[in-house]
């Protein structure tokens, strides 16, 4: 992997960091929306959660994690650039001589997968089959073509219990939500779940309808998360979350869905629904537009797929 590719990858925000830059919300929500996280502004660091499970924050891209097993290391998500992935692997090396043999991807967004080029070849890259499909599509971009050797090589369609590196890992698939390939990496012994971008705090959740995501699927997924015997939820863009955080997010989405549904039943158009929520849209970087949760709900309720 060349530096050039890494630099290019850094500028291609296929995922959530790009979305964080777009203010698409009601004024009250805008006030509560944290400033976009600036890639590279915070140095990468690792934090021990418990039982050999670590969270990786800072650097470029979303939070990641790793689990030190008896003989091997499992990494969860790959950061957004080669440099950031290598910085993460350097931190792993400080803690264990065990090699990194597995990377589990929570979904296909660039801020979670574009750092794969920083890993050594010969990895087992585990993902839902829909995530692989989305990555194949994204890696057609000439700027990302160098990542083609890093497409997932172990994929599946449903849940998968794994016992890798002496660690009990349950890979759970609850159906389309943020994308159509969201995996929850559940560690029953540590009561920790890595949930990718299934939860955002302090802003509306982001749902990629173009990747098969759906707000109603997200509600179902959040309910399943609440049913897990876990007390710590590691998301891509927040500090560790609790069940109370997940419950609050679930309630907020359900309330919004009910309000949008009522407005549709009154015959309101999408523009009328948006203005009922006071939504003022501003284009994101490069004129990119990210629909608000209200628009996503409206489309979920009115468009057949
Ligand atoms: Zn994402």
């Amino acid at each position: 992997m060349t530096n050039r590719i890494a630099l290019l990858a850094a500028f291609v925000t296929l995922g959530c960091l790009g979305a964080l830059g777009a203010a698409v919300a009601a004024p009250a929500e805008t006030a509560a929306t944290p400033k976009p996280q600036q890639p590279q502004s915070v140095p990468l660091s690792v934090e021990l959660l418990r039982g050999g499970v670590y969270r990786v924050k800072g650097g470029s891209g979303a939070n990641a994690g790793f689990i030190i097993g008896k003989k091997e290391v499992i990494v969860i998500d790959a950061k957004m650039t080669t440099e950031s992935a290598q910085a993460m692997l350097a931190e792993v090396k400080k803690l264990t001589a065990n090699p990194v043999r597995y990377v589990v991807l929570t979904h296909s967004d660039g801020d979670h997968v574009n750092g794969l080029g920083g890993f050594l070849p010969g990895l087992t890259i585990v993902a839902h089959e829909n995530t692989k499909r989305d990555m194949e599509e994204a890696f057609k971009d000439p700027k990302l073509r160098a990542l083609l050797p890093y497409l997932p090589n172990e994929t599946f369609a449903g849940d998968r219990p794994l016992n890798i590196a002496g660690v009990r890992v349950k890979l759970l698939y609850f159906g389309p939500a943020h994308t159509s390939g969201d995996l929850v990496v559940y560690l029953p012994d540590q009561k920790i779940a890595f949930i990718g971008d299934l939860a955002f705090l302090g802003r509306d959740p982001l749902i990629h309808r173009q990747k098969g995501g759906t707000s109603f699927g997200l509600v179902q997924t959040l309910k399943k998360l609440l049913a897990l015997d876990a007390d710590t939820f590691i998301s891509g863009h927040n500090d560790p979350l609790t069940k109370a955080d997940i419950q609050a997010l679930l309630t907020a989405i359900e309330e919004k869905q009910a309000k949008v549904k009522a407005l549709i039943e009154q015959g309101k158009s999408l523009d009328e629904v948006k203005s009922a929520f006071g939504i003022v849209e501003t284009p994101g970087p490069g004129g990119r537009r990210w629909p608000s949760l209200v628009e996503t709900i409206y489309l979920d309720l009115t468009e057949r797929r």
Side-chain angles (χ1 to χ4, degrees):
M1 181 65 51
T2 65
N3 285 336
R4 185 174 158 270
I5 295 294
L7 271 176
L8 287 169
F11 285 104
V12 178
T13 43
L14 291 167
C16 314
L17 291 173
L20 289 172
V24 186
E29 292 167 338
T30 307
T33 303
K35 282 197 170 152
Q37 192 182 337
Q38 291 303 317
Q40 304 288 14
S41 62
V42 182
L44 184 136
S45 64
V46 304
E47 170 196 355
L48 175 63
L49 298 168
R50 66 178 80 108
V53 182
Y54 293 77
R55 180 171 86 108
V56 179
K57 54 184 181 174
S60 266
N63 296 327
F66 58 89
I67 308 154
I68 300 179
K70 283 180 188 140
K71 292 183 180 163
E72 294 156 331
V73 177
I74 307 159
V75 171
I76 301 154
D77 283 345
K79 305 299 295 174
M80 191 166 71
T81 62
T82 298
E83 285 79 5
S84 227
Q86 287 172 342
M88 170 165 69
L89 295 174
E91 292 299 320
V92 173
K93 234 178 188 169
K94 288 180 196 168
L95 294 162
T96 178
N98 295 355
V100 173
R101 292 244 192 268
Y102 299 88
V103 179
V104 180
L105 302 174
T106 59
H107 65 292
S108 60
D109 284 348
D111 54 332
H112 298 252
V113 308
N114 285 359
L116 279 169
F119 289 76
L120 291 172
L123 278 177
T124 300
I125 302 174
V126 185
H128 189 275
E129 62 184 22
N130 292 343
T131 289
K132 181 180 183 182
R133 189 198 58 210
D134 287 340
M135 289 168 72
E136 280 169 338
E137 198 53 39
F139 293 171
K140 285 180 186 165
D141 184 329
K143 295 188 287 290
L144 296 175
R145 210 166 277 160
L147 290 173
L148 279 170
Y150 291 93
L151 282 171
N153 49 25
E154 191 170 322
T155 61
F156 51 93
D159 290 351
R160 168 165 295 194
L162 285 179
N163 192 329
I164 35 183
V167 182
R168 270 209 306 157
V169 181
K170 287 188 177 176
L171 304 180
L172 305 175
Y173 179 63
F174 299 137
H178 172 67
T179 69
S180 65
D182 307 299
L183 273 192
V184 172
V185 182
Y186 172 47
L187 304 163
D189 297 327
Q190 291 87 355
K191 297 191 192 300
I192 294 169
F194 285 84
I195 60 171
D197 287 352
L198 292 170
F200 283 86
L201 224 58
R203 51 150 289 153
D204 271 349
L206 178 66
I207 293 164
H208 297 307
R209 277 178 56 86
Q210 77 281 12
K211 288 185 175 181
T214 138
S215 71
F216 291 90
L218 181 57
V219 161
Q220 293 312 313
T221 290
L222 293 174
K223 287 178 179 172
K224 300 258 174 63
L225 289 181
L226 288 171
L228 291 178
D229 182 18
D231 57 20
T232 305
F233 298 85
I234 305 301
S235 75
H237 302 281
N238 292 107
D239 287 337
L241 306 176
T242 62
K243 275 199 179 172
D245 294 323
I246 305 287
Q247 180 61 60
L249 174 63
L250 171 62
T251 304
I253 300 171
E254 286 189 315
E255 283 174 3
K256 218 163 246 188
Q257 285 175 331
K259 190 172 167 188
V260 172
K261 189 160 182 276
L263 289 166
I264 291 170
E265 282 164 3
Q266 291 165 28
K268 304 286 187 199
S269 69
L270 174 57
D271 282 342
E272 287 168 333
V273 171
K274 281 195 219 168
S275 52
F277 281 87
I279 290 171
V280 181
E281 294 195 347
T282 53
R288 198 162 181 174
R289 181 180 170 278
W290 295 88
S292 61
L293 177 61
V294 164
E295 179 169 343
T296 299
I297 293 169
Y298 181 93
L299 295 175
D300 283 348
L301 285 166
T302 57
E303 264 189 6
R304 279 183 178 277
R305 283 203 252 193

